[in-house]
Amino acid sequence: MTKNLTFEAFESEWLIDILENDPSSTEKGHRFSKKLVGQWFDFDSDSVSPDDIVFCDGAGDGGIDIAYLQRGDDDEENQKEGDTWYLVQSKYGKALQGTNTLLQEAQKLIDTLDGKRTNLSSLTENLINRLKTFRTSSSNKDRVVLVFATQRPLTDDEKRAVQDIKAMGKSRLGLNFDTESISLENIYQRILETTKASNTVKINITAHLVP
């Protein structure tokens, strides 16, 4: 991608394989979430350990489209960083209808984690059991993060709603709960920054310097 490529042009190119062969709305959403999350976390979903990623979207998903476990590494002082479960709620295109959509989906997910929903698929039930064990044994370094993944960035009202959801989640589920939002524009900006850095030219000069 060149530095002159606009976001609109990037978006059109990025969506080509999402729209290929005229898929159903459900399949579009599945393709969108899988591609966006994979690029944001910089992994190939086909090569990630099955223990670290779960695709739940569908009937009985409990408000979770994708669950991804990012395991903490050892830091410079040889102390282990915390592990993070990212629980992704993806909304492609017009599936996001303002703050009400965010609040409804968040309520569904928080109820699921809090054991208040029972109409779950077997896949989601297994995931919730893992998350229950994770939350019970977690340290203050571990986190459970609800991620809203959207095509366009959230509006200011939607961002405030996400902050309200964070407060509600911490109250219901504990202080390790957090929220984030990502969009296709985040991927675009990251690529621009990477391209800019790779275009930087460094020239070594041999010189005799005088104070």
Side-chain angles (χ1 to χ4, degrees):
M1 185 181 78
T2 67
K3 63 181 180 180
N4 295 322
L5 182 63
T6 64
F7 172 72
E8 288 72 19
F10 167 78
E11 181 181 44
S12 297
E13 182 179 333
W14 193 92
L15 291 173
I16 288 175
D17 53 350
I18 306 298
L19 305 174
E20 187 177 14
N21 297 325
D22 192 25
S24 65
S25 297
T26 300
E27 180 60 21
K28 288 178 188 176
H30 175 74
R31 292 179 182 180
F32 174 81
S33 59
K34 188 174 181 180
K35 183 174 181 179
L36 181 64
V37 171
Q39 290 188 357
W40 176 248
F41 291 111
D42 195 23
F43 65 73
D44 179 354
S45 58
D46 294 330
S47 62
V48 174
S49 167
D51 292 333
D52 292 348
I53 188 165
V54 183
F55 297 98
C56 306
D57 59 328
D61 61 20
I64 305 171
D65 290 333
I66 299 175
Y68 171 57
L69 175 59
Q70 189 175 76
R71 300 180 185 273
D73 297 323
D74 293 338
D75 60 22
E76 294 179 356
E77 297 179 356
N78 203 30
Q79 295 182 347
K80 190 176 186 304
E81 298 175 350
D83 296 334
T84 301
W85 269 107
Y86 291 97
L87 309 180
V88 180
Q89 176 56 237
S90 175
K91 292 299 176 187
Y92 168 64
K94 295 181 179 179
L96 175 61
Q97 295 291 325
T99 59
N100 286 338
T101 302
L102 301 176
L103 293 170
Q104 290 170 4
E105 294 296 342
Q107 184 72 56
K108 183 192 299 184
L109 181 141
I110 291 172
D111 284 347
T112 298
L113 294 180
D114 204 18
K116 300 297 190 295
R117 297 180 67 88
T118 56
N119 56 334
L120 303 175
S121 66
S122 58
L123 189 64
T124 303
E125 283 184 351
N126 291 334
L127 172 64
I128 296 306
N129 288 333
R130 291 184 62 189
L131 288 167
K132 185 182 299 183
T133 301
F134 176 81
R135 291 170 53 212
T136 301
S137 60
S138 64
S139 71
N140 58 6
K141 294 182 179 180
D142 300 317
R143 295 191 304 156
V144 174
V145 182
L146 166 57
V147 181
F148 290 105
T150 57
Q151 185 174 350
R152 294 295 178 93
L154 301 184
T155 64
D156 289 341
D157 285 345
E158 290 165 348
K159 289 176 182 177
R160 283 191 290 271
V162 171
Q163 290 302 308
D164 292 341
I165 290 167
K166 179 192 293 188
M168 178 174 64
K170 287 183 179 294
S171 175
R172 292 271 303 274
L173 303 172
L175 297 178
N176 289 23
F177 181 84
D178 206 344
T179 56
E180 292 183 11
S181 63
I182 60 175
S183 71
L184 188 52
E185 189 168 284
N186 293 122
I187 305 300
Y188 172 72
Q189 292 297 336
R190 177 186 289 177
I191 293 175
L192 282 184
E193 292 169 4
T194 302
T195 303
K196 182 179 179 180
S198 64
N199 287 337
T200 301
V201 177
K202 295 182 179 180
I203 301 175
N204 295 322
I205 299 177
T206 302
H208 298 287
L209 304 180
V210 178

